[in-house]
Amino acid sequence: MNRILYCLTIEHDWRWTLAAGVLCILGLGAAFRLLVEARALQRTRRREAALLAVVVGGVTAFSTHFLAMQGYDAGGEVRYGLPLTLFSLVLGVAGVALGAVIVLMRDNRLHRGLGAMVGVSGVASMHFLGIAALELPGRVIGWDPVLAGSAVGGGLLLALLTGSVVYGKSPLRFIATCISGALSIVFLHFTAMSAMTVSAAGVTATALGPTFPASTMLGALAVLAVALLAVGGALAWMGCFSRSSALNQIREAIDAMPDGLAFFDADDRLVLWNNRYDEVNPELTSNLQAGMTFREIIQIGLNQGLYAEARGREAEWIAERMESRRGLSAMMEQRISGDRWLRVADRRTAAGGIVTVCTDITDLKNDANALVEARDAAQAANAAKSQFLANMSHEIRTPLNGVIGLAQALGATPLTPQQAEMLELIQSSGRTLQVLLSDILDLARVESGRMELCEEAYDLGRAVRDAAQLYEASAREKGLQFFVEIDPEVDCWIAGDVVRLKQILTNLVSNAVKFTSEGFVSLTAAPGPARDGAPTLRFSVEDTGIGFDSQTRDRLFSRFEQADGAITRKFGGSGLGLAISRQLAEMMGGDLDCESEPGGGSAFILTVPFKPAEAPGSVSAGPAAEDAGKCGTVRVLLADDHPVNRRVVEMILAQADVAMVSVEDGAQALQAVRDADFDLILMDMQMPVMDGLTATREIRLHEAAMGLARTPIVMLTANALPEHVSAAEAAGADRHLPKPFDAAELLTLVVELPRSGARSIAA
């Protein structure tokens, strides 16, 4: 240590030492800055910046070494060998270049530390080669190996600490990095110089090449120093220019923003704002000044009456707004005078300032209001559509009930064969109209989402046979073979909606019979393939009918579609049945598909979940219509405003022992119940004076007030939608029989219901 201090203070001129240290710090700073910028540049620009950094770093180390040598007292004349001096420069630049490559490979502590050590290793090689280039006439240079090794080891250690520990991106860490890097080179130089000894020699060595005096080296160093300072100054100017350019670009970007932006400092004073902020706040434009507080800005708006929500409560509104701003709560929507709307969001910066973003959402609000109005209009239209369907259902079912009911009543009278044939045609046409009406109403319910499925236990085998039996006679009449096959494994009780299942099956069987002129029609029920580990049921309806091609298959399940126009004219139909059937299958959790080829028949496959269920307890069957006489006279009250419907019911019930009283509205029905006792009440839903629902509620209140037994009430109505059934049940009705109804069903109901006392609603 004493040797090092002696070398530094006695053998070196402190002024040259200080100049070498300052030059080293400045040069390394320029080189480090270039390396940092090179990492962020594109490939071509990166190579250029890295090359410049290498040259600056190598020249800095070279200049530091030889500038310090200018202050070294060697005890006589000092000359420099040109070849070795130049080679030392090349060696120093090469070492720095290799270190820079390592640093640029990856930005982590390991690579930075390793790159710094490689760079200092090149500087150490340059140092000792530069000493070897010295020409000292009459003197010889010796070395202390311990101090020489310490110089190299200490320099490498300081370089490692500089790259892996000291380096940082903040300005202070950058300055510390420059000083630490310069310290590693300075330590290397002066410790190595303290390891050098100069002694007299008897013989003067011959130079290996041309030499030049110290004055020439000083001039060269001056040129290099000026060049390094020029590079440093250029970098500083470029940094300032780049920052200024970046700030200008940021300002342009802020001004180009579609939203208004204002920046407030930590004291909530306005610092800057963009043009859009002026545009969305035109009332404040002439009053905005840098240094204004946010409180002063909103006070200007209050004075101009901009905030309608603040009128009459200005102080409270200001307190709420400032509290919201301090809490940096979620963005708020603010209404401005003139039906303008702003969305305001506040965000805190790292330094404690606040960035306020204002967006004009007037158009969005107007669009939202338009959407609300459109939604309300659509809901009103949907309600009108539902009301229209309900009215059409009622208006169509009422006369249709007269046609079908009178035809059934007429069928119970003696008829000639020709009259019986004509009557059958009337009944067939009535059933067709009834099916078409049901399809249209089902489609409307599915579209509106009001279709609901029941989940109850039923006998699957019986349901399948009932569905097939409806069209067995039609198939026999056309000379078709008709098969119904039910696998014993599925001939059991299951849970589901038996009405909708039978609707799908009867539709498929009806189509098969309709489109088949010879051959067979079959309906099979069997276990289907498991889906997601759950068992399924597979129903297959096959025929040998006309079939269809693949193009027809793609649109067959669309609404109002059949195979082609000719089929529509020949076979009739609405084209709704298959569309509704597929939608019902999907609502059940299954699917409906088909396979066919022209002239080769068709196969429709229905797959639904298989949910086995326990059979309900046995229930004794009610008496048939023909047994009515054994039960005594049934007293029936009929309330219906339509004379044809009243006459139809009277003619049907004339076949049984029934004493019937007919009234025209709900008020008359209520009065009749108050005046006499009845075993059964048949109530229309839509009547003048008092509707059927109101009359039903009043009758139930009357029974409760008088302590009377509950009289079964059947809604015998053309209002057949699910909401009508629910409304009837809520009013107190026991059953719901939609028009047009079957005469046998009405007779059975009149006989059974008064006896059973059971209360259930059936659509």
Side-chain angles (χ1 to χ4, degrees):
M1 177 61 72
N2 292 333
R3 173 59 186 156
I4 297 174
L5 293 176
Y6 178 82
C7 175
L8 185 62
T9 57
I10 302 301
E11 296 180 346
H12 286 79
D13 187 335
W14 67 270
R15 291 167 295 185
W16 291 104
T17 301
L18 180 61
V22 172
L23 180 63
C24 188
I25 293 174
L26 295 178
L28 289 182
F32 290 163
R33 174 56 61 189
L34 285 168
L35 279 179
V36 171
E37 294 182 356
R39 187 178 297 279
L41 296 175
Q42 297 180 352
R43 184 179 299 273
T44 304
R45 298 291 303 279
R46 182 185 303 172
R47 287 197 299 265
E48 296 174 355
L51 180 60
L52 182 58
V54 166
V55 173
V56 171
V59 170
T60 296
F62 178 84
S63 301
T64 300
H65 169 72
F66 284 100
L67 191 61
M69 288 296 298
Q70 296 300 309
Y72 177 69
D73 183 7
E77 180 185 7
V78 177
R79 298 186 66 85
Y80 298 89
L82 182 59
L84 290 180
T85 301
L86 294 178
F87 188 58
S88 68
L89 174 61
V90 172
L91 194 61
V93 172
V96 174
L98 183 58
V101 170
I102 296 175
V103 171
L104 291 175
M105 287 175 59
R106 188 169 297 176
D107 187 16
N108 56 36
R109 295 180 181 272
L110 176 62
H111 283 74
R112 290 195 299 269
L114 182 59
M117 291 178 67
V118 170
V120 170
S121 298
V123 173
S125 301
M126 179 211 68
H127 172 84
F128 288 106
L129 189 60
I131 295 298
L134 292 180
E135 297 291 339
L136 304 178
R139 285 155 295 168
V140 65
I141 298 175
W143 294 96
D144 182 343
V146 175
L147 285 176
S150 300
V152 176
L156 292 176
L157 179 60
L158 288 173
L160 176 63
L161 293 175
T162 300
S164 60
V165 178
V166 180
Y167 174 80
K169 296 182 178 180
S170 66
L172 291 178
R173 295 293 292 272
F174 182 78
I175 294 173
T177 302
C178 295
I179 295 175
S180 179
L183 185 61
S184 66
I185 295 177
V186 170
F187 179 86
L188 170 66
H189 175 85
F190 287 103
T191 304
M193 291 299 294
S194 67
M196 187 178 70
T197 60
V198 180
S199 59
V203 180
T204 301
T206 303
L208 298 178
T211 62
F212 55 90
S215 58
T216 303
M217 174 59 76
L218 182 60
L221 292 175
V223 172
L224 292 177
V226 171
L228 289 175
L229 292 175
V231 171
L235 289 176
W237 179 84
M238 290 173 60
C240 293
F241 177 78
S242 177
R243 286 191 294 271
S244 176
S245 177
L247 289 175
N248 291 334
Q249 291 177 353
I250 292 174
R251 179 69 196 206
E252 291 177 0
I254 292 176
D255 283 336
M257 287 178 58
D259 300 325
L261 182 143
F263 174 64
F264 295 80
D265 62 16
D267 295 326
D268 212 9
R269 295 186 178 277
L270 183 61
V271 177
L272 58 88
W273 62 96
N274 65 355
N275 295 331
R276 183 60 179 163
Y277 191 80
D278 284 337
E279 294 174 2
V280 298
N281 296 284
E283 301 87 352
L284 306 177
T285 301
S286 59
N287 298 296
L288 288 180
Q289 296 179 3
M292 296 178 64
T293 63
F294 181 77
R295 172 67 174 77
E296 293 171 344
I297 293 176
I298 61 175
Q299 184 62 54
I300 294 173
L302 284 174
N303 295 339
Q304 296 184 4
L306 299 182
Y307 313 121
E309 59 185 13
R311 291 171 186 168
R313 52 186 294 270
E314 287 79 2
E316 182 181 356
W317 184 86
I318 289 178
E320 292 174 357
R321 182 67 184 91
M322 296 303 296
E323 180 64 26
S324 172
R325 183 173 176 82
R326 282 191 295 270
L328 299 178
S329 56
M331 62 180 62
M332 60 174 292
E333 294 181 355
Q334 194 171 68
R335 186 174 182 178
I336 309 298
S337 63
D339 290 331
R340 291 176 54 244
W341 284 86
L342 296 181
R343 179 182 291 131
V344 183
D346 299 320
R347 294 291 184 271
R348 182 82 64 184
T349 66
I354 295 179
V355 176
T356 298
V357 179
C358 297
T359 305
D360 191 330
I361 58 171
T362 304
D363 292 340
L364 292 177
K365 282 290 185 179
N366 292 337
D367 292 343
N369 292 334
L371 288 175
V372 170
E373 294 175 359
R375 181 201 63 193
D376 294 342
Q379 291 177 346
N382 187 56
K385 172 186 173 183
S386 300
Q387 184 62 39
F388 173 77
L389 287 173
N391 291 337
M392 287 300 98
S393 172
H394 183 274
E395 296 302 322
I396 295 174
R397 285 177 182 273
T398 297
L400 186 58
N401 180 67
V403 173
I404 295 178
L406 289 174
Q408 291 176 340
L410 183 60
T413 64
L415 299 172
T416 65
Q418 184 179 10
Q419 290 173 333
E421 181 182 2
M422 295 170 63
L423 182 61
E424 175 59 28
L425 292 175
I426 293 174
Q427 291 177 327
S428 176
S429 298
R431 287 192 295 271
T432 302
L433 285 174
Q434 186 176 1
V435 170
L436 178 60
L437 177 62
S438 297
D439 284 347
I440 293 174
L441 294 178
D442 282 345
L443 177 64
R445 285 197 290 267
V446 170
E447 282 185 337
S448 63
R450 294 196 302 270
M451 175 74 76
E452 296 181 359
L453 300 181
C454 299
E455 189 78 12
E456 58 186 8
Y458 65 92
D459 187 342
L460 178 63
R462 180 178 179 181
V464 173
R465 295 183 185 96
D466 289 346
Q469 186 179 8
L470 293 174
Y471 297 94
E472 184 175 4
S474 299
R476 303 297 185 197
E477 291 175 1
K478 297 180 69 173
L480 304 175
Q481 298 182 41
F482 193 85
F483 306 104
V484 179
E485 299 179 1
I486 303 175
D487 190 292
E489 189 175 344
V490 300
D491 193 358
C492 60
W493 285 76
I494 67 170
D497 193 322
V498 63
V499 174
R500 296 305 175 187
L501 177 65
K502 290 171 67 175
Q503 180 179 351
I504 298 174
L505 294 179
T506 54
N507 184 272
L508 298 179
V509 174
S510 171
N511 285 343
V513 172
K514 179 166 58 173
F515 293 108
T516 303
S517 57
E518 58 181 14
F520 71 89
V521 172
S522 68
L523 169 60
T524 60
R531 290 186 177 179
D532 299 329
T536 63
L537 280 171
R538 178 186 173 96
F539 301 91
S540 178
V541 178
E542 301 181 25
D543 62 67
T544 55
I546 60 175
F548 46 84
D549 56 23
S550 58
Q551 293 182 348
T552 302
R553 178 183 180 278
D554 294 337
R555 58 185 177 87
L556 195 60
F557 292 96
S558 300
R559 298 162 189 165
F560 310 106
E561 289 281 358
Q562 288 187 336
D564 57 37
I567 291 178
T568 304
R569 290 191 297 271
K570 180 178 181 181
F571 295 99
S574 65
L576 288 174
L578 288 178
I580 296 173
S581 296
R582 170 169 278 186
Q583 289 176 304
L584 289 175
E586 292 173 351
M587 291 177 64
M588 294 177 180
D591 61 67
L592 176 61
D593 207 346
C594 63
E595 298 176 357
S596 181
E597 60 181 22
S602 306
F604 285 80
I605 300 95
L606 169 66
T607 305
V608 296
F610 182 28
K611 304 175 183 178
E614 294 292 333
S618 61
V619 180
S620 59
E626 56 269 20
D627 297 332
K630 303 177 183 178
C631 308
T633 301
V634 179
R635 296 164 297 177
V636 177
L637 172 63
L638 171 64
D640 197 313
D641 64 316
H642 201 287
V644 174
N645 285 334
R646 293 199 301 272
R647 183 58 181 152
V648 168
V649 174
E650 291 170 358
M651 294 176 67
I652 292 175
L653 296 186
Q655 304 174 46
D657 187 6
V658 173
M660 192 171 71
V661 176
S662 298
V663 296
E664 298 181 358
D665 57 58
Q668 294 179 8
L670 177 60
Q671 188 61 45
V673 170
R674 290 172 176 171
D675 295 340
D677 295 330
F678 295 94
D679 299 313
L680 179 68
I681 300 174
L682 302 177
M683 183 77 71
D684 188 19
M685 185 177 291
Q686 191 168 325
M687 295 182 293
V689 183
M690 180 184 290
D691 61 81
L693 296 177
T694 304
T696 300
R697 286 190 287 266
E698 292 295 329
I699 290 173
R700 295 306 184 208
L701 289 174
H702 170 71
E703 292 172 342
M706 302 301 295
L708 301 176
R710 182 186 180 93
T711 303
I713 299 178
V714 177
M715 282 295 177
L716 196 64
T717 175
N719 296 80
L721 298 177
E723 52 265 36
H724 299 144
V725 178
S726 300
E729 182 181 23
D734 298 278
R735 300 287 288 273
H736 187 280
L737 187 61
K739 302 173 184 177
F741 48 80
D742 183 76
E745 185 180 5
L746 178 61
L747 283 169
T748 302
L749 186 147
V750 169
V751 173
E752 287 182 350
L753 194 59
R755 284 184 167 191
S756 66
R759 183 175 183 272
S760 63
I761 294 290

